[in-house]
Amino acid sequence: MALHFTSEQRLADGVLERGFTLGEIPGILWTPASASASAPVPLILLGHPPLGLHKMYPRLVARAQHVAADGFAAATIELPGSGDRPRWAAAEQARADLRRAMEADEPVSDEIIDALILPLVDKAVPEWQAALDALLSLPKIGGPVGYSGGVISIGVRLAVVEPRIVAAGFFAGSFVPRAMFEEARQVTIPLHVLLQWDDEGNDRQAALDLFDAFGSKEKSLHANMGGHTGVPQFAGEDAAQFFRRRLR
């Protein structure tokens, strides 16, 4: 798939933001001001939940600007079935089943989690890899590559199948199918995992079990009190320090 830039703007801190399409997939690339005068820069892929790039943009651009301050490029793509991309019936049904279970205060079954997450992983990971092919072919993007945030199961699969990703920062805040625990045992790259201890939508024990399953020799778990949206500011700096150590 060919990458075509569709928009360009310079942000206040000198970061160049460019919208692009990769086939039918929208995305955004941010490059630091230093990229024009230096050797090719490392790249961090910014994962996000399936809420659509437009809705997630304020948080994504803030993350990208922090990444750029460290001299790294950042990029993201729209997830399958999100934003302006075509919906698919199975995912819509799984989301409806999830809403029903949560509104009724019922446990979310393994069947719902599998239907919600596994097809998304199967569709999204090859698209991330195609985006990585295209981004690394650009003159000022050179790697190494990190992956940060988003649906943790997508990150787990990418960490297993994509050798160009050398470090990953995960947020233990999304449902994890049981099948992903076996894949987690195959992850060997350095990991920085953030867990909100009182996350109302996350099974804390499942998050701890997943961390235990990771096969990486270097892995750290950073747990903070508070709910899903209560991540303390210093947690972002801890993650940034992790990527500075691994990508420079």
Side-chain angles (χ1 to χ4, degrees):
M1 289 187 282
L3 185 149
H4 299 286
F5 288 111
T6 57
S7 65
E8 179 176 313
Q9 66 171 332
R10 186 73 67 174
L11 305 182
D13 50 6
V15 175
L16 180 62
E17 177 186 284
R18 287 178 286 177
F20 65 82
T21 56
L22 183 71
E24 300 299 317
I25 306 166
I28 309 172
L29 171 65
W30 295 270
T31 47
S34 60
S36 60
S38 66
V41 297
L43 173 67
I44 295 181
L45 303 176
L46 300 182
H48 53 91
L51 301 175
L53 282 184
H54 293 303
K55 185 170 184 177
M56 293 302 302
Y57 176 80
R59 287 164 62 183
L60 286 165
V61 71
R63 290 167 63 193
Q65 287 174 302
H66 285 297
V67 166
D70 286 327
F72 306 149
T76 194
I77 56 173
E78 186 73 88
L79 290 174
S82 296
D84 296 328
R85 296 190 63 184
R87 298 294 188 261
W88 81 88
E92 294 295 297
Q93 182 61 54
R95 289 173 183 170
D97 292 341
L98 174 65
R99 282 193 298 271
R100 267 196 299 273
M102 296 185 78
E103 287 168 1
D105 201 25
E106 297 172 351
V108 180
S109 69
D110 287 346
E111 290 76 16
I112 292 176
I113 294 172
D114 287 354
L116 186 71
I117 302 296
L118 292 176
L120 178 64
V121 172
D122 290 342
K123 288 174 179 285
V125 167
E127 294 182 352
W128 274 112
Q129 291 183 289
L132 195 50
D133 290 341
L135 292 163
L136 289 178
S137 71
L138 298 174
K140 292 300 179 181
I141 312 294
V145 180
Y147 176 87
S148 174
V151 177
I152 195 169
S153 294
I154 293 175
V156 170
R157 175 74 58 81
L158 275 170
V160 172
V161 304
E162 181 46 72
R164 292 171 293 185
I165 295 176
V166 302
F170 293 151
F171 180 50
S174 51
F175 295 108
V176 181
R178 291 293 159 189
M180 296 306 301
F181 284 74
E182 188 55 44
E183 293 194 36
R185 295 183 178 92
Q186 302 172 50
V187 175
T188 59
I189 61 174
L191 297 179
H192 178 103
V193 182
L194 178 64
L195 170 64
Q196 286 300 102
W197 201 249
D198 306 302
D199 191 335
E200 58 281 358
N202 187 37
D203 183 335
R204 182 198 301 163
Q205 190 57 53
L208 295 172
D209 291 344
L210 182 66
F211 179 80
D212 193 42
F214 286 129
S216 304
K217 290 181 179 178
E218 181 190 332
K219 58 180 180 179
S220 58
L221 178 67
H222 299 253
N224 295 288
M225 304 306 291
H228 189 81
T229 59
V231 181
Q233 189 170 352
F234 64 76
E237 177 52 36
D238 290 343
Q241 181 62 36
F242 167 78
F243 283 115
R244 285 196 290 268
R245 287 198 310 272
R246 286 289 153 196
L247 300 185
R248 279 184 179 157

